[in-house]
Amino acid sequence: MTDEDAEWLPPHTPEAAGVSAPVESSQVALPQIIVGSRELRDEANDCLAVLHAVNDPPRWFVQSDRMFEVVANEKGRQVGREVTEAGLRGCLTRNADFRKKTGKGLVPCFPPLDIPKDILALAPGELGFPVLDGITGVPVIRPDGSIVDTPGYDRPSRLFYSPEAGFQLPAIAEYPSSDHLDVAKGLIDEMLDGFPFADPSSRANGIGGLLTPVLRSAIEGATPVLVVSAPQAATG
């Protein structure tokens, strides 16, 4: 095309972007769901089956009686958000091809609005997604004493582990030796070095207060209440 023949092009056309041919739509083979001619419950069940089939590793969960999803925010950090009707409709059209019957046969269509409404109105147990108790950026201890150290959803703890980029957990022996314990104790002593505890008992309780939140999930029953007071103003 010469300068003389050039015409103004809308800013979002393939030609304006320097693309020689239109970008083709996705040709990925997706399951097909027929809508508009069946009971809503059957269409919604088919949609749920599609979501369950692609929910590995888990992305969709149940939390606080609602459908939740874990997604990366603008900083690349995994966060949880409630799934909305519009969001669920978008998930459905990206994971299934919707068709309706016409005189010319099956033709493409959008997911009907009633389907996401019906799915999100289901009881948590009917949704069938795993339960999400929270998202953690640090390794945690399961009730059996083992450690959650693999990124992603952990079914025993019902937590989603999402460490910071570059974080590496040092190898931890299944049966720590006395040398391991000495190293761990040394790290705590170094951290608390110079802190003006009133007496050895206060120091022991302070260490207990540091460890309790880490070990709480592996402790059955109640744990002692921790009361913190300062021996002098501006302590800490």
Side-chain angles (χ1 to χ4, degrees), residues 49-199:
V50 168
L51 295 181
H52 289 158
V54 298
N55 201 36
D56 185 21
R59 167 189 172 184
W60 296 296
F61 305 90
V62 170
Q63 186 183 71
S64 301
D65 295 336
R66 295 176 175 85
M67 184 175 171
F68 261 68
E69 64 179 344
V70 174
V71 297
N73 65 9
E74 69 280 2
K75 296 181 180 179
R77 180 174 298 176
Q78 298 294 325
V79 297
R81 68 180 184 185
E82 183 177 352
V83 176
T84 64
E85 291 178 4
L88 181 53
R89 196 182 188 205
C91 292
L92 292 174
T93 193
R94 286 168 175 79
N95 289 281
D97 288 333
F98 287 79
R99 300 289 185 267
K100 63 179 179 181
K101 293 181 179 179
T102 69
K104 297 180 179 180
L106 295 177
V107 297
C109 63
F110 298 150
L113 291 173
D114 286 339
I115 291 180
K117 289 181 179 181
D118 181 69
I119 291 176
L120 294 179
L122 293 174
E126 295 177 304
L127 284 171
F129 296 110
V131 177
L132 178 67
D133 283 346
I135 300 175
T136 176
V138 298
V140 296
I141 298 178
R142 300 187 184 96
D144 64 0
S146 57
I147 299 175
V148 178
D149 57 2
T150 301
Y153 181 66
D154 181 71
R155 292 185 182 276
S157 66
R158 302 196 299 196
L159 294 173
F160 194 99
Y161 174 43
S162 178
E164 291 287 340
F167 173 79
Q168 291 185 345
L169 179 67
I172 300 176
E174 183 176 359
Y175 301 100
S177 66
S178 58
D179 290 340
H180 292 124
L181 299 179
D182 288 340
V183 171
K185 180 177 179 297
L187 292 174
I188 295 177
D189 289 340
E190 180 182 355
M191 178 178 61
L192 299 177
D193 184 42
F195 190 86
F197 287 105
D199 49 49

Side-chain angles (χ1 to χ4, degrees), residues 1-11 13 15-16:
M1 179 183 296
T2 65
D3 292 340
E4 291 76 10
D5 296 331
E7 298 179 358
W8 179 84
L9 295 173
T13 61
E15 292 83 357

